[in-house]
């Protein structure tokens, strides 16, 4: 009924919202774990102490399955399902780590990095940075190409800014605005490389229907949306 | 490099703003608060926040903060900076001098719902045990005193029956005289979440508020009633429920007195409360009243949430009783997903109510006239206490005008801006010989004060707040007090200087004293709160970690049963006339908080730099008023200027403004009418007229042009 709110814990991200269902038992990397039905494999892995690397998932939002970082192997299933959108089943046997999985995650993260400010990879402390470290990725093999690194920063809100250069278009901000705040001020506009986060009718945040609740800033894993108060002497871009 | 600084420390504390009571992690960097992160384990917010709590914290280090005590002999003189000892000594000797000259009861104290429970408790102790009278009141007088009275009368306790998460099990949500998405935004988001999940929303509010209609959240029924007709409309809803047999007979028979129910149902089922009679009077469709009644009674789980739109009326207490009656009649109490819940404006209105900041009751709403209760306090405090109830805040001002009341200690309150009929309050203030004000900033009231004691923000002190859901949350010191002392320490200094030895090693010892002397708080301590995060009162041996839902088995009344109160509708005498043909009502906006002391000193003012007068374009055009134009608003009591904003949110005949800016002087307009039972002012209904400010000059200009034209023609 309300476990998705009441079972949240400070400092722990289960990846997907906690559920109320009956017990389901499975093993993650050989560790037996029991979680309520309706839980994701990602949540079970976190409970088992085998947290899967992730970007677009967080336990305050419903699973979305867009970043392709949280892939796992499930015995008896083909392919590499996303652990955030795969629900637990009794007797499931899950592997969160293998050479193949590492290679897949590395490939995805390198692509993200190819469109992220290189000078901000070192010394960063966002969830994105944590995931990079978790997967041992710190650079990418791609040459120069089209990027979002020089997109203008939206500094219209007095309290937070939006730097598209750091945005990985995981949609967590959009979903936080909808699911948590209920304002529906944000959307992803365009497709593929063109996709970007837009406030209101493609307006600056301050002029849109954004109510500045901070849910998007809280949800952003890559510090593309971030409090201005954390930059002494202003924000320097690119 | 565009990497942000990484905060080096974080402290879990409670938001200083509204009654939702969100938990925050206050993060600091090199001793400065740099960000407030909503706490995922906060029981009210679960990691969510609003623009006030999340971002508007910088007021705490605003240059306007007073950092040194100030005194002056008369209010005509400039302030003089002095040390703490001198200021406290001066305040104490003045209060004692006044008592010696005019009598023990010539002084009193007022505390604020922005203070902690510990501070509120100490201030009433100062009045009762040290000043020796019961002249103690708090600002809940002007907002939720009818809640205290009306809910106690019907269900036994003047407090929310539920916890906030309970709404996730409600099928029908009825919001009355409240605009949660603006006033209580984090709870507003929870309402919207539940409505998106399929719950039905009923809103009773004169204004087409943001709560009525927003993205993917629309009220099924909106009763846009004329201000002042709450009781009529609620009685009419009851009329439908009784006449159509929609009440829960089993609940009434099991949990209430049947003959009392019969008395009540005879009243409300009278023809005069038929929707076809009340609808036209309230300006709403009879059929909508019937729909609201059927939806509410149908549940299966219906929950009522209400705000100042119910209480701040001459029949405020009656309005609250109407809500209690409805819930009892339909059996909407005592389980998850139902209930009657006041939405409290300030962070600690519930605490202010609980902890004896009233002239007639000690903490736990126990009468000062009761010798047993008084005895328990006398033994703990070691003094004899006055058995006569003291003065209410408005009566203190009245007594000041007649010269019987000459000195006042005010903590964290700005009555000159926030109390009704401002001219009257100012005249009363001017008549006092010593006003001691303790606050963060100089304000409207400090113009009339003689001693100013610089207080501490909630980021600078230890204590607890009790939120609108009865939840006692910990307030923790994040940074050192800017002026040197936490507020409770200042009260202790004043008590000592007045000759009463009080000593507390830390604020937790005050909570221990509260627990010792207040049954509902009996099990509370800093240790418990540090261990489990927070707890809803009653918290005692039967409920060692608190109580989420009240009234599950019985009601906290002598016979354990709910009571139906007779709620005859008596229209307010504040009515429109030819001279004042519009009704003014007031409310809040998201970005600002109450009289704006804090939020006006942050970037939140970018969203709301001034209070606007919402007016329907019909009313505006008939007065020649253009959108965005400065207008004069005049009532019987006074006049002020505001910028007009054309708005479809108000019906013709109604105008609306917020009250966040001192220069708007909304309370110059408001009447001196108040709730019949509790004196809560009738802020929500004032007859006014609105006129263009530019009119005289333009008329003069037009006149000149006419004269010129005539001269030209005759030349």
């Amino acid at each position: 009924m309300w476990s998705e709110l009441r079972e949240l814990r400070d400092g722990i991200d289960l990846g997907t919202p906690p559920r109320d269902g009956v017990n389901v038992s499975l093993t993650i990397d050989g560790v037996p774990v029991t979680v309520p039905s309706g839980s994701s494999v990602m949540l079970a892995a976190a409970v088992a102490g085998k947290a899967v690397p992730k970007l677009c998932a967080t336990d305050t939002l419903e699973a979305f399955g867009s970043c392709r970082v949280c892939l796992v192997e499930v015995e008896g299933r083909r392919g590499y399902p996303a652990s955030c959108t795969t629900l637990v089943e009794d007797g499931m046997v899950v592997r969160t780590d293998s050479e193949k999985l590492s290679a897949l995650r590395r490939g995805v993260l390198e692509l993200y990095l190819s469109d992220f400010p290189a000078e901000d990879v070192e010394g960063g402390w966002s969830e994105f940075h944590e995931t990079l470290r978790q997967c041992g990725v710190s650079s990418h093999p791609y040459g120069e190409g089209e990027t979002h690194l020089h997109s203008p920063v939206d500094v219209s809100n007095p309290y937070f800014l939006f730097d598209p250069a750091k945005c990985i278009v995981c949609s967590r901000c959009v979903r936080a605005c909808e699911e948590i705040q209920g304002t529906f001020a944000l959307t992803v506009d365009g497709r593929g490389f063109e996709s970007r986060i837009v406030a209101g009718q493609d307006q600056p945040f301050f002029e849109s229907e954004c109510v500045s609740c901070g849910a998007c800033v809280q949800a952003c894993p890559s510090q593309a949306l971030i409090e201005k108060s954390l930059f002494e002497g202003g924000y320097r871009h690119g | 490099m565009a990497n942000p600084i990484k905060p080096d420390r974080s402290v879990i504390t409670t938001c200083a703003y509204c009654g939702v009571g969100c938990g925050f992690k206050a993060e600091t960097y090199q001793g400065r608060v740099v960000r407030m992160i909503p706490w995922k384990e906060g029981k009210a917010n679960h990691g969510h926040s609003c623009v006030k709590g999340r971002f508007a914290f910088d007021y705490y280090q605003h240059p306007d903060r007073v950092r040194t005590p100030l005194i002056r002999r008369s209010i005509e003189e400039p302030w003089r900076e002095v040390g703490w000892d001198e200021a406290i000594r001066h305040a104490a000797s003045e209060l004692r001098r006044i008592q010696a000259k005019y009598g023990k009861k010539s002084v009193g104290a007022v505390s604020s719902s922005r203070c902690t429970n510990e501070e509120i408790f100490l201030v009433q102790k100062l009045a009762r045990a040290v000043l020796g009278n019961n002249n103690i009141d708090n600002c809940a007088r002007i907002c939720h005193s009818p809640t205290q009275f009306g809910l106690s009368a019907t269900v036994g306790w003047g407090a929310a029956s539920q916890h906030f998460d309970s709404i996730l099990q409600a099928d029908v949500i009825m919001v009355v005289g409240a605009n949660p998405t603006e006033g209580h935004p984090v709870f507003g988001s929870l309402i919207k979440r539940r409505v998106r999940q399929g719950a039905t929303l009923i809103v009773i509010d004169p204004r087409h508020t943001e709560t009525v209609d927003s993205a993917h959240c629309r009220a099924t029924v909106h009763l846009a009633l004329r201000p002042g007709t709450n009781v009529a409309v609620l009685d009419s809803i009851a009329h439908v429920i009784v006449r159509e047999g929609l009440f829960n007979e089993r609940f009434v028979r099991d949990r209430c007195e049947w003959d009392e129910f019969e008395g009540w149902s005879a009243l409300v089922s009278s023809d005069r409360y038929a929707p076809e009679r009340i609808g036209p009077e309230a300006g709403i469709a009879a059929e909508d009243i019937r729909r609201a009644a059927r939806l509410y009674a149908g549940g299966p789980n219906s929950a009522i949430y209400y705000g100042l739109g119910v209480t701040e009326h001459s029949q405020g207490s009656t309005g609250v009783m109407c809500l209690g009656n409805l819930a009892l009649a339909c059996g909407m109490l005592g389980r998850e997903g139902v209930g009657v819940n006041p939405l409290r404006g300030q962070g600690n209105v519930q605490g202010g109510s609980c902890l004896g900041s009233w002239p007639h009751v000690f903490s736990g709403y126990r009468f000062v006239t009761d010798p047993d209760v008084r005895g328990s306090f006398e033994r703990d405090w070691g003094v004899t206490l006055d058995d006569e109830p003291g003065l209410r805040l408005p009566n203190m001002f009245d007594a000041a005008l007649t010269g019987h009341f000459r000195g006042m200690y005010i903590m964290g309150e700005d009555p000159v801006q926030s109390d009704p009929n401002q001219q009257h309050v100012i005249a009363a203030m001017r008549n006092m010989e010593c006003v001691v004000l303790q606050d963060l900033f100089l304000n409207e009231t400090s113009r009339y004060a003689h001693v100013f004691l610089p207080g501490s923000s909630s980021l600078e002190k230890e204590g607890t707040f009790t939120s609108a859901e009865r939840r006692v949350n910990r307030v923790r010191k994040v940074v050192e007090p800017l002026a040197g002392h936490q507020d409770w320490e200042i009260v202790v200094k004043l008590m000592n200087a007045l000759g009463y030895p009080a000593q507390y090693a830390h604020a937790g010892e005050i909570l221990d004293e509260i627990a010792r002397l207040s049954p509902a708080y009996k099990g509370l301590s800093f240790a418990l709160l540090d261990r489990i995060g927070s707890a809803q009162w009653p918290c005692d041996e039967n409920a060692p970690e608190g109580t989420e839902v009240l009234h599950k088995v019985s009601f906290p009344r002598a016979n354990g049963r709910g009571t139906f109160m007779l709620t005859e509708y008596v229209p307010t005498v504040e009515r429109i006339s030819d001279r004042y043909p519009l009704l003014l009502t007031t409310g809040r906006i998201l970005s600002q908080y109450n009289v704006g002391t804090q939020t006006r000193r942050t970037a939140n003012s970018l969203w709301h730099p001034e209070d606007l007068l919402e007016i329907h374009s019909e009313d505006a055009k008939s007065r020649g008023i253009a959108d965005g134009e400065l207008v004069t608003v005049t009532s019987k009591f006074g006049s002020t200027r505001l910028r007009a904003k054309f708005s479809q949110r108000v019906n013709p005949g109604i105008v609306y403004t917020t009250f966040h800016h001192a220069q708007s002087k909304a309370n110059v307009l408001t009447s001196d009418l108040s709730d019949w039972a509790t004196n809560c002012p009738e802020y929500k209904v004032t007859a006014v007229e609105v006129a263009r400010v530019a009119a005289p000059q333009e008329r003069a200009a037009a006149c000149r042009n006419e004269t010129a034209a005539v001269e030209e023609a005759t030349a």
Side-chain angles (χ1 to χ4, degrees):
Chain A
M1 193 60 69
W2 47 48
S3 59
E4 71 271 18
L5 296 176
R6 295 199 146 195
E7 297 301 318
L8 298 174
R9 289 295 168 265
D10 185 36
I12 297 170
D13 187 353
L14 298 168
T16 59
R19 299 293 184 215
D20 284 317
V22 296
N23 284 343
V24 172
S25 297
L26 64 163
T27 65
I28 311 270
D29 297 340
V31 178
V33 62
T34 300
V35 294
S37 61
S39 302
S40 67
V41 168
M42 176 179 277
L43 180 140
V47 172
K50 300 285 177 186
V52 185
K54 63 181 184 57
L55 287 176
C56 76
T58 189
D59 58 7
T60 53
L61 299 170
E62 294 300 323
F64 194 58
S66 80
C67 77
R68 313 319 289 176
V69 172
C70 73
L71 309 181
V72 292
E73 294 171 8
V74 179
E75 226 174 76
R77 284 198 196 183
R78 290 193 306 156
Y80 304 91
S83 61
C84 62
T85 50
T86 305
L87 299 188
V88 292
E89 290 170 19
D90 254 326
M92 208 177 220
V93 177
V94 179
R95 277 186 74 178
T96 70
D97 201 13
S98 72
E99 268 184 38
K100 182 64 189 171
L101 288 171
S102 296
L104 284 169
R105 286 178 193 146
R106 169 174 290 275
V108 171
L109 288 170
E110 283 173 348
L111 279 169
Y112 280 121
L113 262 193
S114 71
D115 196 5
F116 192 86
E119 66 276 20
D120 291 337
V121 177
E122 277 290 308
W125 50 279
S126 70
E127 274 185 62
F128 177 58
H129 289 91
E130 293 302 319
T131 302
L132 290 172
R133 269 188 278 274
Q134 207 181 346
C135 297
V137 177
S138 57
S139 62
H140 65 85
Y142 304 102
E144 276 188 36
E146 210 179 334
T147 66
H148 298 88
L149 297 178
H150 300 289
S151 306
V153 180
D154 182 344
V155 294
S156 63
N157 186 290
Y159 296 120
F160 62 84
L161 58 86
F162 173 57
D163 184 354
K166 288 187 167 187
C167 176
I168 60 171
V169 204
C170 65
S171 184
R172 270 165 67 164
C173 53
V174 177
R175 289 177 285 138
C177 192
E178 295 177 2
E179 294 175 30
I180 298 174
Q181 167 57 27
T183 292
F184 297 76
L186 303 179
T187 187
V188 180
D189 185 50
R191 295 181 69 88
F193 180 79
E194 301 297 325
S195 52
R196 63 200 178 99
I197 302 301
V198 162
Q201 307 297 314
D202 202 356
Q203 293 160 295
F205 270 80
F206 186 73
E207 290 166 26
S208 75
E209 60 266 50
C210 163
V211 294
S212 200
C213 69
C216 56
V217 182
Q218 190 65 8
C220 179
S222 59
Q223 295 179 334
L225 279 159
I226 188 158
E227 297 87 354
K228 287 181 174 176
S229 57
L230 297 185
F231 298 92
E232 289 173 321
Y235 189 67
R236 276 186 297 150
H237 170 56
Chain B
M1 290 289 283
N3 276 320
I5 54 170
K6 190 170 184 183
D8 50 28
R9 191 170 152 264
S10 88
V11 178
I12 292 165
T13 188
T14 303
C15 181
Y17 290 110
C18 78
V20 175
C22 295
F24 275 93
K25 286 169 82 172
E27 295 188 343
T28 62
Y29 180 70
Q30 296 179 349
R32 257 180 326 111
V33 180
V34 289
R35 107 177 149 161
M36 297 288 279
I37 292 293
W39 187 35
K40 271 172 92 178
E41 293 184 40
K43 296 270 173 47
N45 59 319
H46 309 291
H48 191 35
S49 57
C50 81
V51 62
K52 291 184 281 276
R54 177 75 155 92
F55 295 119
F57 57 83
D58 228 24
Y59 69 87
Y60 96 87
Q61 49 180 0
H62 193 277
D64 288 352
R65 276 290 295 273
V66 181
R67 289 155 202 255
T68 316
L70 307 169
I71 63 173
R72 57 183 172 184
R73 259 178 315 183
S74 82
I75 59 171
E76 278 74 38
E77 287 178 24
W79 287 108
R80 188 161 65 84
E81 292 191 355
V82 294
W84 273 103
D85 287 346
E86 186 180 347
I88 296 284
R89 224 176 22 243
H90 179 72
S93 73
E94 276 295 283
L95 292 172
R96 285 299 190 217
R97 179 187 65 76
I98 291 168
Q99 285 190 299
K101 189 169 170 192
Y102 301 100
K104 207 189 222 179
K105 299 189 180 182
S106 61
V107 298
V110 180
S111 67
S112 160
S113 303
R114 288 183 206 192
C115 302
T116 62
N117 285 323
E118 291 69 18
E119 289 153 5
I120 288 168
F121 187 82
L122 273 195
V123 173
Q124 61 96 34
K125 181 174 180 180
L126 180 139
R128 298 189 210 281
V130 185
L131 298 176
N133 65 48
N134 289 312
N135 292 337
I136 170 71
D137 210 347
N138 83 99
C139 58
R141 173 68 60 206
I142 62 170
C143 65
H144 266 295
S145 50
T147 286
Q148 168 47 32
F149 187 78
L151 282 187
S152 296
T154 47
V155 300
W157 264 330
S161 60
Q162 312 297 118
H163 56 117
F164 284 132
D165 290 346
S166 160
I167 198 173
L168 293 175
Q169 298 190 42
D171 306 298
V172 176
I173 299 163
M174 187 155 98
V175 176
V176 191
N179 189 10
T181 59
E182 300 285 306
H184 304 83
V186 167
F187 182 63
S189 289
L190 203 62
I191 294 179
K192 289 185 183 181
R193 180 190 283 245
R194 186 59 190 156
V195 172
R196 288 198 306 277
Q197 289 172 351
T200 301
L201 180 64
I202 302 168
V203 178
I204 304 181
D205 198 295
R207 191 165 162 265
H208 195 87
T209 59
E210 295 76 1
T211 303
V212 172
D213 190 4
S214 63
H216 302 279
C217 177
R218 179 175 294 191
T220 301
V221 182
H222 173 213
L223 302 179
L225 78 189
R226 200 165 50 75
T229 58
N230 282 337
V231 170
V233 170
L234 293 171
D235 279 345
S236 189
I237 288 176
H239 175 96
V240 177
I241 287 169
V242 171
R243 283 284 189 98
E244 297 189 5
L246 305 173
F247 54 91
N248 184 336
E249 181 171 344
R250 184 159 188 190
F251 184 91
V252 176
R253 286 196 186 274
D254 287 354
R255 303 287 307 272
C256 314
E257 297 289 354
W258 183 254
D259 57 336
E260 288 173 354
F261 169 78
E262 284 182 323
W264 170 77
S265 56
L267 173 78
V268 296
S269 60
S270 141
D271 284 343
R272 63 183 182 280
Y273 292 117
E276 291 66 27
R277 288 269 189 94
I278 298 299
E281 177 166 358
I284 53 183
E287 191 47 35
D288 283 345
I289 297 178
R290 292 193 180 275
R291 282 171 71 207
R294 290 168 192 152
L295 283 168
Y296 177 77
N301 283 343
S302 300
I304 294 172
Y305 295 88
Y306 72 93
L308 305 184
V310 172
T311 57
E312 288 177 349
H313 288 279
S314 58
Q315 272 202 298
S317 290
T318 317
V320 175
M321 289 171 187
C322 286
L323 299 173
N325 289 341
L326 281 178
L328 288 170
C330 296
M332 297 299 177
L333 281 161
R335 60 181 189 276
E336 298 285 3
V338 296
V340 182
N341 301 281
L343 294 170
R344 310 282 189 159
Q346 302 194 46
N348 205 23
V349 177
Q350 185 65 58
S353 277
C354 294
L355 294 174
S357 265
W358 301 106
H360 64 304
V361 289
F362 290 109
S363 58
Y365 311 110
R366 291 160 307 149
F367 291 98
V368 296
T369 47
D370 181 329
D372 291 340
V373 173
R374 207 169 56 247
S376 68
F377 282 86
E378 287 176 335
R379 281 190 295 281
D380 201 274
W381 294 350
V383 287
T384 307
L385 297 174
D386 190 1
D387 61 357
E388 188 190 32
L391 296 172
R392 298 171 174 186
L393 182 53
N395 305 130
M396 291 186 203
F397 293 134
D398 294 344
L401 281 172
T402 58
H404 296 92
F405 189 83
R406 297 283 183 164
M408 202 171 190
Y409 168 53
I410 306 174
M411 188 205 248
E413 218 2 58
D414 187 0
V416 172
Q417 192 184 342
S418 50
D419 285 30
N421 198 351
Q422 195 172 66
Q423 299 310 324
H424 176 80
V425 175
I426 289 173
M429 286 298 215
R430 285 186 175 281
N431 232 21
M432 280 191 254
E433 293 183 10
C434 181
V435 174
V436 181
L437 184 65
Q438 185 168 320
D439 214 311
L440 303 182
F441 304 102
L442 292 174
N443 56 25
E444 296 302 305
T445 303
S446 65
R447 295 171 194 272
Y448 311 97
H450 304 81
V451 180
F452 188 92
L453 304 173
S456 46
S457 78
S458 65
L459 291 165
E460 300 155 45
K461 59 192 176 194
E462 298 286 344
T464 56
F465 284 155
T466 306
S467 74
E469 56 170 347
R470 291 174 282 110
R471 187 178 297 287
V472 182
N473 287 303
R474 259 302 251 122
V475 174
R476 291 186 180 85
K477 192 175 77 174
V478 182
V479 293
E480 289 303 316
L482 263 63
H485 297 290
Q486 302 181 40
D487 287 284
W488 66 267
E489 295 173 320
I490 301 169
V491 190
V492 170
K493 278 176 182 291
L494 192 56
M495 291 167 97
N496 289 335
L498 284 160
Y500 181 90
Q503 230 182 353
Y504 302 93
H506 57 83
E509 291 187 359
I510 308 170
L511 183 59
D512 294 342
E513 183 173 322
I514 292 171
R516 212 158 59 225
L517 292 166
S518 328
Y521 281 65
K522 194 172 172 189
L524 290 170
S525 65
F526 274 16
L528 176 80
L529 298 175
D530 291 345
R531 182 165 62 79
I532 66 171
S534 62
Q536 285 177 270
W537 66 258
C539 178
D540 53 24
E541 57 278 12
N542 300 318
E545 295 194 351
T547 311
E548 291 197 322
V549 176
L550 297 181
H551 317 313
K552 276 186 164 168
V553 184
S554 65
F555 292 97
R557 303 185 63 256
N559 63 1
R561 289 175 169 262
T563 313
F564 289 87
M565 296 297 289
L566 297 181
T567 51
E568 188 82 76
Y569 170 55
V570 182
T572 172
V573 299
E574 181 70 12
R575 279 177 217 185
I576 53 169
S577 59
D578 288 347
R579 204 157 163 209
Y580 303 108
L582 301 170
L583 279 182
L584 170 74
T585 190
T586 58
R588 293 187 166 101
I589 201 162
L590 172 67
S591 53
Q592 297 283 4
Y593 177 69
N594 285 4
V595 295
T597 315
Q598 292 144 294
T599 46
R600 279 189 283 114
R601 290 184 171 90
T602 69
N604 278 32
S605 283
L606 290 172
W607 281 278
H608 188 72
E610 61 179 331
D611 293 319
L612 300 170
L613 184 81
E614 284 188 8
I615 184 168
H616 193 278
S617 55
E618 271 178 32
D619 288 330
K621 283 175 185 156
S622 67
R623 288 166 175 77
I625 295 165
D627 197 10
E629 189 176 12
L630 204 58
V631 295
T632 309
V633 188
T634 311
S635 77
K636 257 183 286 184
F637 300 88
S639 175
T640 190
R641 286 180 176 193
L642 293 165
R643 202 165 293 287
K645 181 190 174 193
F646 286 13
S647 173
Q648 303 295 324
R649 290 195 183 279
V650 287
N651 287 337
I654 313 292
V655 290
Y656 166 89
T657 189
T658 47
F659 50 79
H660 302 303
H661 291 269
Q663 62 269 32
S664 313
K665 297 196 168 129
N667 283 331
V668 169
L669 302 172
T670 48
S671 74
D672 52 6
L673 296 172
S674 66
D675 176 41
W676 61 273
T678 69
N679 276 152
C680 180
E682 185 161 65
Y683 285 141
K684 297 294 182 182
V685 194
T686 310
V688 297
E689 176 57 301
V690 179
R692 304 181 65 191
V693 168
Q697 293 91 328
E698 282 185 18
R699 261 205 304 278
C703 210
R704 274 197 303 278
N705 289 341
E706 227 166 75
T707 318
V710 171
E711 281 170 0
E712 211 170 81
T714 51

